[in-house]
Amino acid sequence: MPLVTSKEMFQKAYEGGYAVGAFNVNNMEIIQGITEAAAQEKAPLILQVSAGARKYAKHVYLMKLVEAALEDTGLPICLHLDHGDGFEICKACVDGGFTSVMIDGSKYSFEENIALTKQVVDYAHDKGVVVEGELGRLAGVEDDVNVSAADSSYTDPAQVEEFVSRTGVDSLAIAIGTSHGAYKFKPGTKPQLRFDILEEVGRRLPGFPIVLHGASSVMQEYVAIVNEFGGQMPGAIGVPEDMLRKASSMAVCKINIDSDLRLAMTASVRRHLAQHPDHFDPRQYLTPARDAIREVVAHKMRHVLGCSGKA
Ligand code: G3H
Ligand code: 13P
Ligand code: ZN
């Protein structure tokens, strides 16, 4: 089975009231853990690659690993560029075999965002590749760029119809209070998302797929393991699972998860090395780390996104 775009996946997800998971990949063990879970759960899957991941692993290595996963699992997989920050990286990924790209013009003015996004859409659509745009700005850390809460902004629902019709994007990421990284809400406060914005966006764009970034729950069982075995992540807190389930039943068709995978992998490695101080073969600690990724992804698909059995 060749790579697919997310078009059909999103249509089915919208109609079925569930979301497809988009998981960030950086190396072989992460790709294997995620794709093993998707095969086990018979779930549609988006693997996404950030600019940082492309720099770390190189485009060609990630491409070949994903091709191996396709052959190994026979699953429909969409390969997506996460947070493309300009035309050139989007073009490189379209030309280099990706089936979906995100152009993140959220830091620009509305008009500049439209112009850049449209340029990418025109190029990508010509080659059969789909495009995700973004309106509104999430707080948090991505590729070492730290967007403070003060510089973040909710999506203005009054802008979405014009943005979608003038750019021709296939899906739209919106900001409703999630953020990137492991520190999303202040400890002691009640996590809140602006479901009113999501509802209004859904009303204005009927049938159109919405994307939620910064959607890790920052699973506390893994934070506890990290902290027990020498890590320091006090106050790490994410988006409650029931909120993600609610968003999945609304217009949200794609949910981005990276931090939970990082956390599960790091917790596993820390615990393994602490419990086996004599081990020095990477396979000894990367095997349980890969298993931890598979377990987290399977949990998300089955209990949070609702996409198990939908491939
Ligand atoms: O949204 C950001 C993702 O978590 C990717 O992070 O840019 O550090 O690879 P990265
Ligand atoms: P998290 O940091 O919440 O996992 O978000 C990942 C993301 O949005 C990738 O684009
Ligand atoms: Zn993101």
Side-chain angles (χ1 to χ4, degrees):
M1 150 103 48
L3 285 170
V4 297
T5 73
S6 50
K7 202 140 197 110
E8 198 186 325
M9 287 183 190
F10 288 166
Q11 206 176 326
K12 285 196 198 161
Y14 198 99
E15 286 162 11
Y18 62 88
V20 180
F23 300 95
N24 287 74
V25 299
N26 293 280
N27 66 14
M28 183 187 77
E29 285 76 11
I30 295 174
I31 291 173
Q32 288 179 333
I34 297 167
T35 52
E36 280 170 15
Q40 175 191 313
E41 294 299 313
K42 300 188 174 37
L45 179 64
I46 299 171
L47 294 176
Q48 56 187 12
V49 170
S50 68
R54 268 179 102 238
K55 200 163 146 199
Y56 171 77
K58 288 194 184 171
H59 185 104
V60 64
Y61 283 82
L62 292 171
M63 200 67 215
K64 300 288 177 194
L65 285 167
V66 172
E67 280 169 12
L70 279 174
E71 196 178 315
D72 192 36
T73 63
L75 280 174
I77 297 176
C78 168
L79 181 58
H80 174 77
L81 168 67
D82 191 27
H83 293 284
D85 67 350
F87 178 77
E88 285 311 320
I89 188 169
C90 292
K91 179 177 182 302
C93 289
V94 170
D95 294 346
F98 284 36
T99 48
S100 175
V101 294
M102 174 189 192
I103 175 67
D104 181 356
S106 61
K107 64 173 183 259
Y108 298 115
S109 71
F110 185 63
E111 286 300 327
E112 286 167 333
N113 190 356
I114 287 181
L116 176 60
T117 305
K118 183 166 172 14
Q119 187 190 8
V120 172
V121 168
D122 288 346
Y123 188 81
H125 280 185
D126 200 41
K127 315 242 167 181
V129 171
V130 294
V131 180
E132 172 185 327
E134 177 163 333
L135 256 187
R137 195 153 192 225
L138 269 69
V141 185
E142 48 184 270
D143 256 340
D144 298 330
V145 179
N146 198 335
V147 182
S148 72
D151 288 332
S152 67
S153 59
Y154 292 117
T155 302
D156 177 0
Q159 293 184 325
V160 297
E161 293 135 298
E162 184 179 349
F163 186 82
V164 167
S165 67
R166 283 179 60 194
T167 58
V169 280
D170 303 277
S171 62
L172 182 68
I174 62 168
I176 59 168
T178 62
S179 60
H180 291 108
Y183 302 88
K184 300 187 192 299
F185 300 99
K186 282 204 174 68
T189 61
K190 201 167 166 301
Q192 301 226 315
L193 294 187
R194 292 287 304 273
F195 282 103
D196 58 320
I197 295 179
L198 174 56
E199 202 169 344
E200 179 62 12
V201 168
R203 204 184 58 72
R204 287 171 179 264
L205 297 172
F208 189 82
I210 300 302
V211 179
L212 205 56
H213 283 246
S216 280
S217 296
V218 188
M219 297 166 78
Q220 292 301 301
E221 56 266 49
Y222 293 109
V223 174
I225 295 170
V226 167
N227 288 336
E228 184 184 344
F229 294 102
Q232 290 188 356
M233 298 186 68
I237 179 163
V239 184
E241 290 186 347
D242 58 336
M243 291 190 185
L244 296 168
R245 274 193 291 270
K246 180 171 170 180
S248 306
S249 73
M250 298 170 71
V252 170
C253 295
K254 172 174 179 269
I255 288 201
N256 285 13
I257 296 171
D258 186 5
S259 295
D260 273 330
L261 307 188
R262 296 177 176 190
L263 195 55
M265 194 164 197
T266 299
S268 173
V269 171
R270 276 193 180 277
R271 179 167 60 189
H272 185 93
L273 291 176
Q275 291 177 342
H276 305 277
D278 57 322
H279 282 184
F280 68 98
D281 178 343
R283 292 171 297 187
Q284 290 170 313
Y285 54 85
L286 290 178
T287 300
R290 181 173 56 192
D291 292 345
I293 298 251
R294 188 188 62 240
E295 280 161 28
V296 167
V297 172
H299 167 80
K300 301 278 179 193
M301 289 171 160
R302 186 172 285 250
H303 300 291
V304 182
L305 310 168
C307 61
S308 291
K310 309 288 189 187

